[in-house]
Amino acid sequence: MSLYGMMRTGVSGMNAQANRLSTVADNIANADTTGYKRSSVEFSTLLLPTPGGNYNSGGVNSTVRSAVSGQGALQYTTSVSDLAINGGGFFIVQVPPSDGATSVDNTQYLTRAGSFVLDASGRLINAAGYQLMGYAIDNPGALVPIAIPSGTRDPQASTAGIIAGNLPSNADAVTGNLPSSGTMPIEYTSKTSMLIYTSDGTPKMLDVYFSKTNTGEWEASVFDQSEAASGGGFPYSSGPLDTITLTFDASGKPTGASNLSFTAPGGASFDLDLSHFTQYGTGFSISDIAANGNTNSSINKVEISKDGTVYAQYTDGSSAALFRIPLADVQSPDRLTALAGNVYVQSSDSGGVRIGFPNENGMGSVISGALENSNVDIAEELTNMISAQRSYTANSKVFQTGSDLMDVLVNLKR
């Protein structure tokens, strides 16, 4: 047996246990770090050739692994911008540019740390200083920093709308003057109204009349409510903006043309989609009614859905989708390279980065108002620390014994 080999083996064991203690220390220090993934050390033997019946002690190799794929518990908060991922995937973040910087770090990093807050520019920045990246709804070609605009939104004229619902098949056909005739008295079956906006943001109301004319046939006519008689309704000072005949088959499904096109109050061209109406035996009902366009208003609050869509809620009660938050993943998340700031980058063993959207192709969902805690178990780490301490002490005894025997051997030669 080689005393040098014995001492070398003791040093190898102490070094391995020191690495283990280092990961334990890191795990305990980051037990409360949002999105942190615990590290551990795996050991493997190191053997040396043993010729002539003499045993040459080898040692131990230590390999550090991170439990990146381990889900941490979700902790719910009151901040909408706190984001957690329930399932697989990572947020894509980037270092924000510094004021006056001559170069910009465009490297995209992966993280599970979703403690984002708005900075002075409206960007979502997490506790490590990384900005959240996403796709703009109106320009989804490339990843851009998600930034919530400030100030007021310019008015936009309404150009398209939809009304969906049911027209009762058991209603009696109208026998008198239809709304499109303009001749009093007018008869119709049902009526609804919808809100639109002019180019300067002025709200206008459209009155839409539905009149059953025959089996499976209905007339739909649109009027400018501002031209109605005092108290509302007929007579209007001018005829309908447009009229169409809706037809339905025996099963109540729509057939034929179902879109109205006209010049809306304020002068903008407007398309009204009525193709989602059905004709069933139930009563008249409206399941959806909406139009684009808006008045000038400011953002009241922001909402983020589970599919990663960032919505702005405006003071006028309307909402608009601004961004879509993507998620990234790799074939082997545990093989990603960890960097400072609780971020990861692709390594040669992790596989390539693929980008998708929440709830699609194995990606998790985005939970707004929640943070993912670290996956560190303090009790387990303390147990590992005690075990590593004992092993380190035992290996030091091996080294000390080898050193003592070496002294004996040296003294024999004197």
Side-chain angles (χ1 to χ4, degrees):
M1 176 183 71
S2 169
L3 293 180
Y4 288 112
M6 175 184 176
M7 296 170 66
R8 183 183 61 247
T9 300
V11 171
S12 173
M14 286 189 290
N15 183 66
Q17 295 303 326
N19 287 340
R20 185 182 181 189
L21 284 168
S22 295
T23 61
V24 169
D26 215 15
N27 292 339
I28 293 176
N30 287 280
D32 295 321
T33 300
T34 300
Y36 174 78
K37 303 302 179 180
R38 67 178 298 269
S39 298
S40 61
V41 172
E42 299 294 333
F43 301 123
S44 59
T45 58
L46 175 62
L47 299 179
L48 297 178
T50 309
N54 294 323
Y55 185 80
N56 286 332
S57 59
V60 59
N61 282 327
S62 58
T63 302
V64 178
R65 292 183 178 177
S66 297
V68 180
S69 57
Q71 174 84 44
L74 299 186
Q75 176 183 347
Y76 291 90
T77 70
T78 57
S79 175
V80 174
S81 62
D82 282 339
L83 302 177
I85 301 174
N86 187 17
F90 299 83
F91 296 115
I92 303 173
V93 294
Q94 190 172 297
V95 177
S98 301
D99 293 338
T102 56
S103 61
V104 179
D105 180 5
N106 292 320
T107 305
Q108 293 173 357
Y109 303 92
L110 310 181
T111 188
R112 299 274 293 196
S115 54
F116 296 102
V117 294
L118 293 176
D119 69 356
S121 300
R123 298 171 298 187
L124 289 174
I125 309 293
N126 70 6
Y130 291 92
Q131 63 184 358
L132 181 63
M133 306 296 289
Y135 293 102
I137 295 297
D138 57 357
N139 186 20
L143 284 170
V144 296
I146 292 180
I148 308 302
S150 59
T152 59
R153 175 177 62 167
D154 293 334
Q156 296 289 334
S158 299
T159 58
I162 181 175
I163 304 178
N166 182 70
L167 300 173
S169 60
N170 53 6
D172 295 330
V174 172
T175 58
N177 298 322
L178 295 172
S180 59
S181 69
T183 303
M184 299 294 291
I186 297 294
E187 292 186 21
Y188 59 90
T189 307
S190 301
K191 173 191 174 184
T192 190
S193 300
M194 73 181 305
L195 174 68
I196 65 170
Y197 296 94
T198 63
S199 58
D200 63 359
T202 302
K204 294 286 186 177
M205 294 296 293
L206 300 179
D207 290 336
V208 185
Y209 293 87
F210 298 95
S211 306
K212 186 175 183 180
T213 57
N214 206 338
T215 301
E217 289 186 2
W218 291 75
E219 180 189 90
S221 298
V222 183
F223 290 83
D224 181 356
Q225 191 180 92
S226 64
E227 296 181 350
S230 59
F234 289 96
Y236 290 82
S237 59
S238 63
L241 299 173
D242 199 7
T243 299
I244 194 173
T245 298
L246 304 177
T247 58
F248 301 88
D249 60 22
S251 63
K253 302 295 183 181
T255 61
S258 54
N259 279 49
L260 294 163
S261 296
F262 52 89
T263 300
S269 298
F270 190 85
D271 292 324
L272 180 58
D273 182 7
L274 303 178
S275 63
H276 298 279
F277 267 99
T278 57
Q279 183 191 248
Y280 297 145
T282 54
F284 175 76
S285 63
I286 298 297
S287 59
D288 187 21
I289 183 167
N292 62 1
N294 57 268
T295 185
N296 61 314
S297 57
S298 58
I299 295 178
N300 184 38
K301 62 179 181 178
V302 174
E303 293 184 354
I304 302 175
S305 65
K306 290 185 177 181
D307 67 356
T309 304
V310 180
Y311 293 96
Q313 300 286 337
Y314 293 92
T315 52
D316 63 358
S318 64
S319 63
L322 302 179
F323 295 93
R324 185 87 185 272
I325 300 173
L327 296 180
D329 207 356
V330 294
Q331 189 70 23
S332 180
D334 292 345
R335 295 287 188 171
L336 287 168
T337 299
L339 301 177
N342 208 3
V343 296
Y344 303 91
V345 292
Q346 174 187 343
S347 72
S348 58
D349 296 324
S350 67
V353 176
R354 61 183 181 90
I355 299 177
F357 289 110
N359 298 325
E360 297 179 5
N361 300 320
M363 299 290 187
S365 57
V366 173
I367 308 298
S368 176
L371 294 174
E372 182 184 359
N373 291 331
S374 72
N375 58 1
V376 174
D377 185 335
I378 291 292
E380 181 182 355
E381 297 304 323
L382 292 176
T383 301
N384 290 337
M385 182 173 62
I386 294 171
S387 176
Q389 180 185 12
R390 289 176 176 174
S391 296
Y392 190 97
T393 302
N395 280 282
S396 69
K397 293 296 184 183
V398 171
F399 182 86
Q400 184 64 50
T401 300
S403 178
D404 292 342
L405 292 175
M406 185 65 69
D407 287 341
V408 172
L409 182 60
V410 170
N411 291 332
L412 287 175
K413 293 181 179 181
R414 290 179 179 176

